[in-house]
Amino acid sequence: MIRINENYKKLQSSYLFSDIAKRVTAFQKENPEKKIIKLGIGDVTRPLPKACIDAMHKATDEMNDIKTFRGYGPEQGYDFLREAIAKNDYQLRGINIAPDEVFVSDGAKCDCGNIQEIFASDIAVAIPDPVYPVYLDTNVMAGRTGFYSNGRYDGIVYLDGTAENGFVPDLPSKRADLIYLCFPNNPTGATITKEDLKKWVDYARENKAIILYDAAYEAFIRDDALPRSIFEIKGARDVAIEFRSFSKSAGFTGVRCAYTVVPKDCCAYTTDGEKTALNGLWNRRHTTKFNSVSYPVQRAAEAVYSSEGKAQVKALTDYYLKNATLIRKEINALGFDSIGGENSPYIWVNGKTDSWAFFDRLLKEAGVVVTPGAGFGKCGQGYIRISAFNNHEDVEEAMGRIREALS
Ligand code: PLP
């Protein structure tokens, strides 16, 4: 009898976005004339930077010529892209990262979901709440948790994000071997200071733990005092892995390109205490299970680092940040506390009521869709997430409608 991986039975169905869709459809049916504005989902709306489109066209033409045609590329990514990433995102910022520490992939979602398989199944995993659900669910699938009860899985060390800690979790009180952190954060928009990030790096060094640092929203950081990479923190090369993506920086959500940085100094241990480099393990995993990203897409990603590409990515992220500033200003003027929206495309709002009740009110009274915070974990109850990924005119209209409905 063939048997299933029963850990999948422990997973909670993610009703969040399907529940939202159901409520929106029902509302639209009752109000067919009403234009609904969606500030819920975290997907980009603007076209790709011209530099990326031009590079993709050129690379596609190369594939049409026998002299320049390419088949399989290196699994870890072409050297031209790994070198551009190491140089522009790290070395030019004074951070010591080499091209062979960069692994190109088709998404930070896959990478931060897959990385857990290079670690033992009986380690203690620390995961923030509220959270981007991929970290939690992939550890459930791998059997690192018990069952789900009262909004939490047994065996996970939850790192609570609260108004008191500004949604930057405190160090765990229980042992944690593998720690997930994400800054600027999805869903809260919180950022972390270098001082606070250093506490985590020091914790990991003292406890022989590893930090998985998701920096998918790094391109939205404008405050130079904030760390763009965990590798800006002394000692992080020994204890951290970083995930980055072109999805939110250059609008690649539908194009697919991202990368993971695994420094050669970053190590974990065998049961016998033998120190083992994670770069080698991830390289083995990546080359065994992945065949890299298409050549035209890697050329498009490389173009992000040209001078035009850099300016166009800055303009693109500035556009969404302008939306974020407007959302934050309007929501605060209505008397709601919020965080995020300053170096992040997400605004996390204390709705002072049940998350879903606030969601329904905004939908019914303003025709605006947001995301109920309760869908991101127990600590998200009472909050909503507003996304700045939309056209500026629609954001202006949405905030005008919310102002009218709530004031
Ligand atoms: N990490 C975080 C925190 C995200 O919010 C997202 C996407 O929303 C991702 C990773 C996934 O990025 P990618 O499009 O590269 O898979």
Side-chain angles (χ1 to χ4, degrees):
M1 181 179 71
I2 181 72
R3 288 168 47 236
I4 62 161
N5 174 355
E6 287 187 38
N7 294 312
Y8 277 64
K9 293 278 222 185
K10 297 178 194 159
L11 287 168
Q12 298 305 295
S13 300
S14 173
Y15 294 121
L16 180 62
F17 288 101
S18 60
D19 273 3
I20 293 174
K22 266 188 225 150
R23 290 179 197 221
V24 172
T25 310
F27 176 78
Q28 189 78 86
K29 219 170 156 189
E30 283 164 29
N31 304 272
E33 75 302 336
K34 184 94 183 167
K35 179 187 164 197
I36 294 175
I37 304 177
K38 294 184 178 164
L39 303 180
I41 201 153
D43 196 0
V44 296
T45 58
R46 314 292 297 166
L48 297 184
K50 186 169 180 308
C52 300
I53 287 289
D54 289 347
M56 211 188 290
H57 279 163
K58 187 166 168 278
T60 309
D61 287 340
E62 284 177 47
M63 300 296 260
N64 192 31
D65 183 335
I66 195 153
K67 293 194 286 300
T68 48
F69 168 80
R70 299 189 188 220
Y72 290 124
E75 289 101 337
Q76 305 90 335
Y78 283 105
D79 283 347
F80 63 76
L81 182 54
R82 300 176 90 191
E83 279 162 16
I85 291 167
K87 180 173 159 213
N88 290 280
D89 283 339
Y90 296 99
Q91 293 161 6
L92 289 178
R93 295 178 187 277
I95 306 168
N96 169 22
I97 292 296
D100 60 358
E101 295 175 321
V102 174
F103 295 85
V104 173
S105 79
D106 60 355
K109 182 176 185 176
C110 324
D111 287 351
C112 63
N114 289 327
I115 194 85
Q116 47 74 30
E117 71 177 67
I118 64 171
F119 299 100
S121 51
D122 57 352
I123 54 169
V125 181
I127 296 186
D129 176 356
V131 74
Y132 176 59
V134 175
Y135 317 147
L136 189 56
D137 287 357
T138 52
N139 278 289
V140 176
M141 291 169 176
R144 289 197 188 87
T145 73
F147 288 98
Y148 185 82
S149 62
N150 290 326
R152 296 210 151 165
Y153 287 97
D154 284 343
I156 290 288
V157 179
Y158 282 94
L159 304 171
D160 288 354
T162 61
E164 288 69 42
N165 61 26
F167 292 91
V168 178
D170 302 320
L171 294 175
S173 44
K174 287 190 210 151
R175 185 177 66 90
D177 301 311
L178 190 63
I179 300 158
Y180 289 77
L181 294 177
C182 171
F183 292 105
N185 189 266
N186 178 17
T188 69
T191 52
I192 192 165
T193 61
K194 283 185 188 163
E195 295 68 37
D196 281 344
L197 192 51
K198 183 175 182 305
K199 288 183 200 156
W200 284 98
V201 170
D202 291 347
Y203 173 92
R205 293 178 65 86
E206 279 155 27
N207 293 280
K208 293 199 165 91
I210 291 286
I211 299 170
L212 300 175
Y213 193 73
D214 186 343
Y217 296 93
E218 164 276 337
F220 294 87
I221 294 176
R222 292 292 178 275
D223 179 347
D224 287 336
L226 294 174
R228 286 168 171 270
S229 163
I230 194 166
F231 302 120
E232 288 177 42
I233 310 299
K234 197 164 167 263
R237 277 184 59 88
D238 300 328
V239 291
I241 289 174
E242 180 161 288
F243 306 100
R244 294 263 190 116
S245 173
F246 296 98
S247 282
K248 307 297 162 81
S249 58
F252 273 42
T253 54
V255 174
R256 313 303 304 145
C257 197
Y259 62 90
T260 290
V261 178
V262 189
K264 278 172 262 168
D265 304 328
C266 186
C267 291
Y269 302 84
T270 63
T271 317
D272 299 337
E274 184 197 333
K275 209 170 169 183
T276 308
L278 296 177
N279 181 287
L281 288 193
W282 185 244
N283 187 56
R284 185 61 209 249
R285 191 257 165 223
H286 208 63
T287 53
T288 302
K289 295 196 177 181
F290 188 61
N291 249 340
S292 202
V293 177
S294 76
Y295 174 68
V297 167
Q298 292 195 56
R299 281 294 185 200
E302 181 195 24
V304 162
Y305 301 107
S306 63
S307 53
E308 312 82 68
K310 283 180 184 169
Q312 289 160 10
V313 164
K314 167 89 175 22
L316 201 52
T317 46
D318 276 348
Y319 182 95
Y320 295 124
L321 282 170
K322 190 171 144 204
N323 290 345
T325 305
L326 175 69
I327 296 167
R328 199 166 44 87
K329 208 180 91 213
E330 291 281 349
I331 211 81
N332 294 158
L334 286 168
F336 294 97
D337 289 335
S338 73
I339 64 157
E342 272 182 293
N343 294 280
S344 150
Y346 297 121
I347 299 91
W348 184 246
V349 183
N350 183 350
K352 298 185 271 193
T353 180
D354 175 81
S355 286
W356 280 103
F358 199 44
F359 167 90
D360 282 334
R361 187 167 176 210
L362 292 177
L363 177 61
K364 289 186 181 140
E365 295 179 25
V368 175
V369 181
V370 296
T371 310
F376 297 103
K378 224 175 174 177
C379 294
Q381 179 52 271
Y383 289 82
I384 54 157
R385 185 192 76 175
I386 309 183
S387 160
F389 290 117
N390 212 325
N391 303 323
H392 192 66
E393 302 68 40
D394 286 341
V395 172
E396 275 181 332
E397 189 182 334
M399 296 321 290
R401 287 195 206 167
I402 291 178
R403 195 187 323 125
E404 240 171 66
L406 301 186
S407 54

